[in-house]
Amino acid sequence: MWFRYRYIVWTIMLLCWLLEALSYRHSVYPDGIAYLEIASACAKGNWHSLINGYWSPAYPALFSLVLSVFKPSVIWELALLHCFNCLVLVGSLASLEYFLSALIQHLSITTWALNQEWKPLPTWVFRAIGYALFFWGSVYATPPSVETPDVLVLALVLIAAGILLRIASGRDSWQYSVALGVVLGFAYLTKAVMFPLSFLFLAVAPFATGNLRRAAPRAFLAFVLFFLITSPFALTLSRSKGRLTFGDSGRIAYAEYVNSIRPIAHWQGGPLGSGTPVHPTRKILDTPPVYEFSTPLAGSYPPWTDQSYWYEGALPHFELGGQLRALRHSLASYFAISMQLGSLFVIPLIVLFCFDRFGDVARNFSRLFFLWIPAFSALGLYSLILVEPRYVTPFMLLLWAAAYSALRVPQSDMSKVIVRASALVVVLLLGFQSVWGVGLAAAHLTLQRDFPEWTVAGELNQARIRPGDRVAAIGDTLMDHYWAHLAGVTIVAQVPADGVSTFLASGPERRMETMALLARSGAKAVVANDLPPLLLREGWKEISNTKYFIFVYRN
């Protein structure tokens, strides 16, 4: 019956994703702007923009193909990207089905599962809870409005795990080794963290079969294919950086969250032992702080175009205090996630409490090492730096599958009632959270009326600021530069958020000197957010129906 009705479930999920995508069609993460600009450059034939030490290439490369087909105006690029994410989520659903089918088949044919008195959980439990958990993740962790490659990583991790399950089930043919190497290669191109994690998937594969001698040549083939797919990008990136690297996002994140390198966009050196920037943004005034970065990178906000350029010279290093601080924050994040997913513990706790077979469950769980070793390793790796739900959702799915696959229940009417009731509780609780999230998206769709970034871009156009022109900004430009992308302009100088109060308190003469410095960077206008009305007397103009202000230089 499941194969008859699964398309109804898929359709309902897709409609919910489209609703969420349209509700936040003009809301964008800073990451999304970077990926949009890389994809736009690729669509125009500039494929060299994919060689970036901070942003991985697969996600923008795929979206550039969509841009090449539909050729939307800049206003509708973001909505199209959200719809593209919906399609990726549909692909992830197919990956989930591939994974669950392999898991169910593995449980049905492995010799240690064949016991007439104690059986694994029913098939429908895995499908019902697996889909409920996936839907929860698609609403809270990787919704289509979050413009990051994490949903693509989710699909590839599920496919890789499905391949491992088929290998462990005795289907260790050469084609699965080929598929594993290819999938993991593209996983690395999707997100740099998958480079070290892929070696764990490759390492456990030959041990999953139980015949290491036979599996070793196949594992070697998978590794060779992984190397052939990943090496062109990694070697090109290394050549551009002048050192061996597979991506700098992890190094930069460690320096930021463990070594406390701050600020994110204008690192000028320090703290002690963290290195010195090779080519930092140029600080042209101390009070208030003013930074200029008109060269050499392009994009709407060059410090965000490729952070690995501005962080060149950073020296990430182990620091006990910083590491303990990062671990504390990571544990707090894992605790918050576990509270949201607390219902998943219902079935294991009931089974262990009612049937008291902890030893058997532990042995069964150990046999699924090829699922939980990569999963625990990924969770541990993220805990060293930063944990977010979108990072860890794929690996939590693997842990859930391994834990539930280890459970055994007696074949009695009472046990069937217990399993049925507890599974229903899990599905209802996860489903309620997911429906609540979709409801919030629907409410946002009905309430959202104004799009201030559009208004700012329109005001720049009316002030004869054309695409390709340079502007300056005052405020938290990293989190607020979508207006620059819409207008097609490049921010080349900035008074950052921590300098705004100093700028406002510095007096009219000092403020005009600061404005003159911003003009020397080549800026034709300055955009700021939420300034006091007194600045209107100094040439600023308030943009109607927004909190933005604009200052246009007159030649």
Side-chain angles (χ1 to χ4, degrees):
M1 292 183 61
W2 165 246
F3 291 99
R4 184 182 306 171
Y5 294 113
R6 64 176 174 176
Y7 297 109
I8 298 176
V9 176
W10 286 32
T11 302
I12 293 172
M13 288 188 179
L14 177 59
L15 292 175
C16 291
W17 295 331
L18 288 172
L19 174 63
E20 203 273 350
L22 294 175
S23 297
Y24 299 97
R25 62 193 181 279
H26 302 302
S27 300
V28 62
Y29 281 67
D31 296 23
I33 302 174
Y35 283 121
L36 265 176
E37 293 180 349
I38 294 173
S40 298
C42 291
K44 296 173 184 176
N46 182 16
W47 293 98
H48 182 74
S49 62
L50 293 174
I51 308 303
N52 191 302
Y54 195 76
W55 309 108
S56 295
Y59 183 66
L62 287 175
F63 184 62
S64 70
L65 302 178
V66 178
L67 289 177
S68 300
V69 172
F70 290 96
K71 296 180 172 58
S73 64
V74 67
I75 290 177
W76 293 106
E77 279 182 351
L78 185 59
L80 183 62
L81 178 56
H82 291 176
C83 292
F84 170 73
N85 287 344
C86 291
L87 291 180
V88 178
L89 279 168
V90 172
S92 297
L93 260 181
S95 302
L96 175 69
E97 184 63 38
Y98 178 81
F99 170 70
L100 290 177
S101 297
L103 181 67
I104 292 167
Q105 183 185 43
H106 180 72
L107 290 174
S108 67
I109 67 174
T110 47
T111 56
W112 50 273
L114 297 178
N115 187 312
Q116 296 303 318
E117 296 182 1
W118 295 82
K119 290 286 188 179
L121 295 173
T123 296
W124 65 266
V125 171
F126 287 97
R127 292 198 185 278
I129 298 180
Y131 269 78
L133 179 57
F134 180 91
F135 190 43
W136 176 90
S138 71
V139 172
Y140 286 101
T142 58
S145 62
V146 176
E147 309 87 3
T148 63
D150 297 282
V151 64
L152 199 55
V153 173
L154 171 61
L156 293 169
V157 167
L158 288 175
I159 294 174
I163 293 172
L164 287 177
L165 282 165
R166 284 167 170 79
I167 292 175
S169 300
R171 298 164 63 181
D172 54 338
S173 62
W174 291 96
Q175 64 181 6
Y176 287 113
S177 300
V178 170
L180 184 63
V182 171
V183 168
L184 293 175
F186 281 107
Y188 157 64
L189 297 177
T190 302
K191 198 164 185 177
V193 71
M194 289 304 299
F195 186 82
L197 292 177
S198 293
F199 286 100
L200 288 171
F201 281 92
L202 292 169
V204 299
F207 294 96
T209 64
N211 188 340
L212 185 60
R213 178 176 296 181
R214 179 183 178 187
R218 292 170 169 78
F220 180 74
L221 174 63
F223 173 78
V224 169
L225 291 171
F226 172 78
F227 176 79
L228 291 176
I229 292 174
T230 59
S231 58
F233 175 76
L235 292 176
T236 303
L237 180 62
S238 298
R239 189 179 300 113
S240 70
K241 296 296 180 183
R243 54 184 168 81
L244 194 62
T245 179
F246 61 86
D248 288 344
S249 57
R251 294 178 68 255
I252 293 172
Y254 194 88
E256 290 175 347
Y257 290 98
V258 177
N259 302 140
S260 300
I261 285 183
R262 290 292 187 272
I264 293 177
H266 301 294
W267 178 55
Q268 303 294 299
L272 186 64
S274 297
T276 303
V278 175
H279 24 62
T281 55
R282 295 163 285 279
K283 193 173 188 179
I284 57 178
L285 186 64
D286 290 325
T287 307
V290 179
Y291 297 92
E292 181 269 327
F293 35 85
S294 57
T295 56
L297 302 184
S300 57
Y301 185 52
W304 197 236
T305 299
D306 183 358
Q307 276 196 295
S308 66
Y309 175 82
W310 307 105
Y311 273 92
E312 190 68 47
L315 299 175
H317 58 280
F318 177 77
E319 180 186 330
L320 181 60
Q323 189 62 79
L324 292 176
R325 182 176 60 251
L327 287 171
R328 185 174 67 251
H329 290 310
S330 297
L331 289 175
S333 298
Y334 280 133
F335 180 77
I337 295 171
S338 64
M339 289 298 98
Q340 287 185 284
L341 298 177
S343 59
L344 291 176
F345 297 101
V346 170
I347 292 180
L349 290 176
I350 289 178
V351 170
L352 291 174
F353 178 78
C354 293
F355 306 119
D356 191 22
R357 293 176 63 88
F358 182 82
D360 290 341
V361 171
R363 282 190 294 273
N364 294 337
F365 185 77
S366 67
R367 294 186 177 102
L368 291 161
F369 64 92
F370 51 88
L371 292 182
W372 55 258
I373 284 181
F376 275 129
S377 300
L379 299 183
L381 185 61
Y382 278 119
S383 70
L384 296 176
I385 305 175
L386 178 67
V387 172
E388 291 188 12
R390 62 189 176 95
Y391 298 161
V392 300
T393 294
F395 308 103
M396 294 179 68
L397 269 164
L398 300 192
L399 283 181
W400 160 79
Y404 273 48
S405 298
L407 299 177
R408 297 292 181 269
V409 293
Q411 299 302 293
S412 65
D413 293 337
M414 179 59 69
S415 66
K416 292 179 181 179
V417 171
I418 292 174
V419 169
R420 188 179 298 115
S422 54
L424 182 62
V425 168
V426 175
V427 172
L428 288 177
L429 290 176
L430 288 174
F432 176 78
Q433 292 184 64
S434 303
V435 171
W436 181 263
V438 174
L440 292 177
H444 188 271
L445 178 63
T446 59
L447 295 175
Q448 190 177 21
R449 291 291 181 269
D450 299 325
F451 307 107
E453 291 84 359
W454 286 18
T455 308
V456 175
E459 187 69 31
L460 288 170
N461 183 263
Q462 290 182 14
R464 297 183 179 179
I465 309 297
R466 300 294 181 242
D469 286 344
R470 297 179 172 188
V471 300
I474 296 176
D476 187 5
T477 313
L478 173 61
M479 300 302 296
D480 180 22
H481 65 280
Y482 184 45
W483 53 267
H485 173 77
L486 290 174
V489 298
T490 298
I491 301 170
V492 295
Q494 175 190 13
V495 177
D498 58 4
V500 173
S501 59
T502 306
F503 171 77
L504 296 176
S506 60
E509 293 185 2
R510 188 63 168 174
R511 285 197 293 268
M512 293 309 296
E513 291 176 5
T514 303
M515 298 298 288
L517 275 178
L518 293 174
R520 290 176 193 171
S521 66
K524 292 185 176 182
V526 184
V527 176
N529 195 344
D530 202 14
L531 296 180
L534 64 88
L535 264 67
L536 295 175
R537 292 181 301 212
E538 299 179 10
W540 288 86
K541 176 185 177 182
E542 185 175 9
I543 301 176
S544 59
N545 299 320
T546 74
K547 294 183 179 181
Y548 290 91
F549 290 73
I550 184 174
F551 183 99
V552 180
Y553 293 103
R554 303 299 179 186
N555 294 329

